[in-house]
């Protein structure tokens, strides 16, 4: 198994790959306490993946090195340090695994321990996720947002421009509707269910019926 780090035209094959590694896959979940229902949860999108690489840059060509014409230890250190300072993501490729992803260098620690000239290091990487420019997002209170992508961070700009879609003043309940789904559909957030309930003098959140006209 080989580990390749790459930024633009510069690349570095690790002479000694780590003995082990792990990449957690997690998703974002939100929980809310809803009156009449208790705690409910919503499954969100996948979180950014992280990986920590622990190995060393050898000062000589040991028998276990994967290749022999590797840079000097501190040449490797300087290369990674420059990548980290550049503000540009690097690419991590791990052969035989299918892992090929852009990453930011979150932390780079290095040093010597045993007088051999080998440089031990720990490299903490986080997946870098790009976003399509000018992607429109509708916010909770009926405003549109321009989601843009820049090299060093993802930024959301509030244009304070109302969406062109008009929200009706009333809605007739259909089969399968709940106050939560109605709030989500017309306000963008289920947490506005209580405002709709108050506006229509609804005391029991479970008691809406087909054909009922709700004021929005």
């Amino acid at each position: 198994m080989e580990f390749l780090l790459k930024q633009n035209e510069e690349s570095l094959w690790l002479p000694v790959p780590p003995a082990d590694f792990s990449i957690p896959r997690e998703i974002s979940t939100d929980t809310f306490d809803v009156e009449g229902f208790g705690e409910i949860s919503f499954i969100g999108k996948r979180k950014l993946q992280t990986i920590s690489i622990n190995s060393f840059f050898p000062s000589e060509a040991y028998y276990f090195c994967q290749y022999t014409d590797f840079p000097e230890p501190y040449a490797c250190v300087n290369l990674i340090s420059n990548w980290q300072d550049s503000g540009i993501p690097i690419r991590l490729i791990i052969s035989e695994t299918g892992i090929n992803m852009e990453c930011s260098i979150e932390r780079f620690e290095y040093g010597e321990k045993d007088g051999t000239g080998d440089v031990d290091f720990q490299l903490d990487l986080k997946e870098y996720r790009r976003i399509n420019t000018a992607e429109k997002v509708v916010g909770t209170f009926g405003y549109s947002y321009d989601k843009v992508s820049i090299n060093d961070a993802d930024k959301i700009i509030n244009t304070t421009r109302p969406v062109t879609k008009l929200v009706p003043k009333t809605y007739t309940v259909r089969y399968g509707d709940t106050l939560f789904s109605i709030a989500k559909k017309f306000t963008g957030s289920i947490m506005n269910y209580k405002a709709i309930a108050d506006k229509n003098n609804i005391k029991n959140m479970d008691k809406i019926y087909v054909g009922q006209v709700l004021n929005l």
Side-chain angles (χ1 to χ4, degrees), residues 51-72:
I51 180 172
S52 183
I53 298 174
N54 292 273
S55 186
F56 68 93
F57 299 123
S59 60
E60 59 181 275
Y62 299 110
Y63 72 91
F64 49 78
C65 292
Q66 291 197 324
Y67 65 103
T68 57
D69 55 340
F70 46 78
E72 294 293 326

Side-chain angles (χ1 to χ4, degrees), residues 128-135 146-155:
Y128 183 85
R129 184 179 296 165
R130 295 182 181 272
I131 298 178
N132 293 331
T133 59
E135 179 185 346
D146 289 328
K147 185 181 289 186
V148 300
S149 175
I150 56 180
N151 286 334
D152 56 348
D154 295 327
K155 183 177 180 182

Side-chain angles (χ1 to χ4, degrees), residues 11-189:
S11 61
L12 173 64
W13 289 99
L14 296 185
V16 182
D20 53 62
F21 72 94
S22 63
I23 301 180
R25 289 182 60 88
E26 301 176 284
I27 59 172
S28 298
T29 57
D30 292 316
T31 59
F32 302 93
D33 285 317
V34 178
E35 183 179 352
F37 279 81
E39 188 176 41
I40 58 176
S41 64
F42 293 88
I43 299 176
K45 299 295 185 180
R46 179 178 62 81
K47 291 184 177 182
L48 298 177
Q49 298 180 92
T50 60
I51 180 172
S52 183
I53 298 174
N54 292 273
S55 186
F56 68 93
F57 299 123
S59 60
E60 59 181 275
Y62 299 110
Y63 72 91
F64 49 78
C65 292
Q66 291 197 324
Y67 65 103
T68 57
D69 55 340
F70 46 78
E72 294 293 326
Y74 282 100
C76 298
V77 168
N78 291 335
L79 179 62
I80 295 177
S81 297
N82 290 337
W83 288 348
Q84 185 179 35
D85 293 340
S86 71
I88 301 173
I90 68 170
R91 183 167 294 279
L92 169 66
I93 300 174
I94 306 177
S95 66
E96 303 175 24
T97 66
I99 295 173
N100 183 338
M101 63 181 182
E102 282 191 302
C103 303
S104 59
I105 300 176
E106 300 291 300
R107 182 170 177 268
F108 178 45
E109 181 178 352
Y110 60 89
E112 298 184 41
K113 294 180 180 179
D114 51 17
T116 62
D118 298 337
V119 176
D120 296 310
F121 72 90
Q122 178 175 323
L123 184 64
D124 296 333
L125 304 176
K126 177 179 282 188
E127 178 184 5
Y128 183 85
R129 184 179 296 165
R130 295 182 181 272
I131 298 178
N132 293 331
T133 59
E135 179 185 346
K136 294 293 183 182
V137 179
V138 178
T140 301
F141 298 103
Y143 291 98
S144 73
Y145 295 80
D146 289 328
K147 185 181 289 186
V148 300
S149 175
I150 56 180
N151 286 334
D152 56 348
D154 295 327
K155 183 177 180 182
I156 296 178
I157 302 174
N158 183 355
T159 63
T160 64
R161 182 175 63 251
V163 294
T164 55
K165 180 180 178 180
L166 296 178
V167 177
K169 294 182 178 180
T170 62
Y171 174 72
T172 303
V173 177
R174 300 178 182 178
Y175 180 78
D177 281 339
T178 66
L179 281 179
F180 307 119
S181 65
I182 294 170
K184 177 68 174 177
K185 180 177 181 180
F186 292 105
T187 72
S189 172

